[in-house]
C-alpha cells in the first residue's frame, strides 16, 4: 500500500468553526489531491497540488483552501465550516510523470469523516 | 465540461453470475482510464487502461477500453459475495501541470449468496 495517512480520521465540529485536515505521504509523489465523497455524487475534486506551493482549484473548491509547504504534506482548511461540508474527505497522490505514461495510478488515503453540526 | 458517466447505478446479482459495468467519458487531453473498487473504505486500484494498453485482465476481472466509442467496460465473471462493492471509473486527463482525475458516480454491485 502507498504510504498515505490522513488526520484526523473522524471529526465532529460545529458550524462556523475552522477545521484543518492533514494528508501526509511518504512516497515523494509530486501530485496530491483532496476529494470529497457524498452519496449520489461520487468523488469530487476540491483542490489539487502539482508541487510545493503549487495548487489549483477543483470542481467544488468554494469554502475550502489548501496549502502545501512540503512535498509530503497537503493541508485542507475549511475556514468556517458549514453543514453542507459534512462529508468523507479523501486525499490521493500520483506521480503523473509525463515521460512515463503508465505512472498515472492514483493512490488514496484512508479518508476522514467530518461531521459539521 | 469534462464528464464521466457510469451505468448501471446499481446492480444485484447472484453468486456465479457474470456482470458488465459500463463507463463512458467526454474529456479533453485524455491520458488513461482507471477502475477502482470501493468497499467500506478508500478506493483500491484495479486497472489502468491507456492507448497502449486497452485490455487488462486479472483473475475473474477484465476491462477493455474503446477509444473510438470513448467508453470502457469492466467484466466480472463467476461473481462472489466478496465482489460486493462500489466500482468507480475515473479518467486521467490534462497536460503538464494540469493533470486531473474525473470520477463517475460509481456502480453499486451487490452479490447475493
Amino acid at each position: 500500500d502507498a504510504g498515505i495517512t490522513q488526520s484526523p480520521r473522524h471529526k465532529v465540529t460545529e458550524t462556523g468553526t475552522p477545521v484543518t485536515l492533514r494528508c501526509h505521504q511518504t512516497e515523494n509523489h509530486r501530485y496530491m489531491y483532496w476529494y470529497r465523497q457524498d452519496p449520489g455524487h461520487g468523488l469530487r475534486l476540491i483542490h489539487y497540488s502539482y508541487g510545493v506551493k503549487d495548487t489549483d482549484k477543483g470542481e467544488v473548491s468554494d469554502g475550502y483552501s489548501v496549502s502545501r509547504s512540503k512535498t509530503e504534506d497537503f493541508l485542507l482548511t475549511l475556514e468556517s465550516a458549514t453543514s453542507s461540508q459534512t462529508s468523507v474527505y479523501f486525499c490521493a497522490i500520483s506521480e503523473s510523470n509525463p515521460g512515463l505514461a503508465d505512472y498515472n495510478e492514483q493512490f488514496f488515503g484512508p479518508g476522514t469523516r467530518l461531521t459539521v453540526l | 465540461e469534462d464528464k464521466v458517466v457510469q451505468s448501471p447505478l446499481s446492480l444485484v446479482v447472484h453468486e456465479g453470475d457474470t456482470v458488465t459495468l459500463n463507463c463512458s467519458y467526454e474529456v479533453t487531453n485524455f491520458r488513461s482510464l482507471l477502475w477502482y473498487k470501493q468497499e467500506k473504505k478508500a478506493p483500491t486500484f484495479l486497472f489502468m487502461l491507456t492507448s497502449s494498453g486497452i485490455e487488462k485482465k486479472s483473475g475473474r476481472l477484465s476491462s477493455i477500453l474503446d477509444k473510438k466509442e470513448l467508453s470502457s467496460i469492466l467484466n466480472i465473471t463467476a461473481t462472489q459475495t466478496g465482489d460486493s462493492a462500489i466500482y468507480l471509473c475515473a479518467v486521467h486527463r490534462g497536460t503538464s501541470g494540469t493533470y486531473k482525475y474525473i470520477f463517475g458516480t460509481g456502480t453499486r454491485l451487490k452479490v447475493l449468496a
Side-chain angles (χ1 to χ4, degrees):
Chain A
D1 290 345
I4 312 170
T5 56
Q6 292 183 230
S7 59
R9 295 293 312 281
H10 301 273
K11 187 170 181 68
V12 180
T13 191
E14 294 188 349
T15 298
T17 59
V19 176
T20 295
L21 308 183
R22 180 180 183 240
C23 177
H24 179 78
Q25 61 146 330
T26 59
E27 304 296 320
N28 201 35
H29 280 9
R30 180 181 173 194
Y31 286 79
M32 298 186 76
Y33 308 79
W34 276 108
Y35 294 92
R36 59 179 289 176
Q37 188 172 36
D38 306 287
H41 290 280
L43 281 157
R44 292 182 292 174
L45 181 65
I46 305 171
H47 282 279
Y48 70 103
S49 169
Y50 47 97
V52 173
K53 296 186 180 178
D54 291 323
T55 65
D56 203 351
K57 296 179 180 179
E59 61 183 306
V60 290
S61 59
D62 287 348
Y64 302 94
S65 62
V66 290
S67 65
R68 190 166 178 203
S69 58
K70 298 185 290 184
T71 298
E72 56 266 35
D73 290 324
F74 193 32
L75 303 180
L76 177 70
T77 297
L78 290 66
E79 300 291 347
S80 178
T82 67
S83 58
S84 65
Q85 294 176 310
T86 292
S87 186
V88 178
Y89 291 85
F90 287 103
C91 174
I93 64 174
S94 72
E95 187 51 41
S96 293
N97 185 330
L100 297 169
D102 284 348
Y103 276 52
N104 289 338
E105 291 184 37
Q106 189 179 53
F107 302 97
F108 285 83
T112 294
R113 184 173 294 277
L114 176 66
T115 302
V116 183
L117 302 176
Chain B
E1 182 182 335
D2 296 329
K3 63 178 179 180
V4 176
V5 178
Q6 293 186 245
S7 63
L9 291 180
S10 65
L11 194 55
V12 180
V13 300
H14 289 90
E15 272 193 319
D17 288 349
T18 293
V19 298
T20 298
L21 309 182
N22 301 285
C23 176
S24 62
Y25 60 91
E26 291 181 32
V27 303
T28 55
N29 298 307
F30 173 91
R31 289 177 59 83
S32 63
L33 185 144
L34 301 91
W35 284 98
Y36 291 85
K37 177 181 181 182
Q38 185 176 26
E39 297 169 272
K40 293 181 180 179
K41 47 188 178 178
T44 54
F45 174 79
L46 293 175
F47 297 118
M48 181 175 66
L49 303 160
T50 67
S51 299
S52 59
I54 62 172
E55 187 166 355
K56 295 286 178 71
K57 182 176 172 64
S58 176
R60 297 177 294 102
L61 276 66
S62 63
S63 184
I64 296 173
L65 175 67
D66 187 335
K67 286 208 71 180
K68 184 177 178 182
E69 296 296 326
L70 305 184
S71 64
S72 174
I73 59 171
L74 175 67
N75 281 321
I76 308 175
T77 60
T79 52
Q80 303 170 356
T81 56
D83 294 326
S84 296
I86 296 173
Y87 290 84
L88 297 169
C89 172
V91 172
H92 185 221
R93 47 83 59 201
T95 56
S96 180
T98 64
Y99 298 118
K100 293 183 184 179
Y101 294 79
I102 312 297
F103 281 81
T105 54
T107 293
R108 183 181 295 274
L109 174 65
K110 186 171 179 62
V111 182
L112 303 175

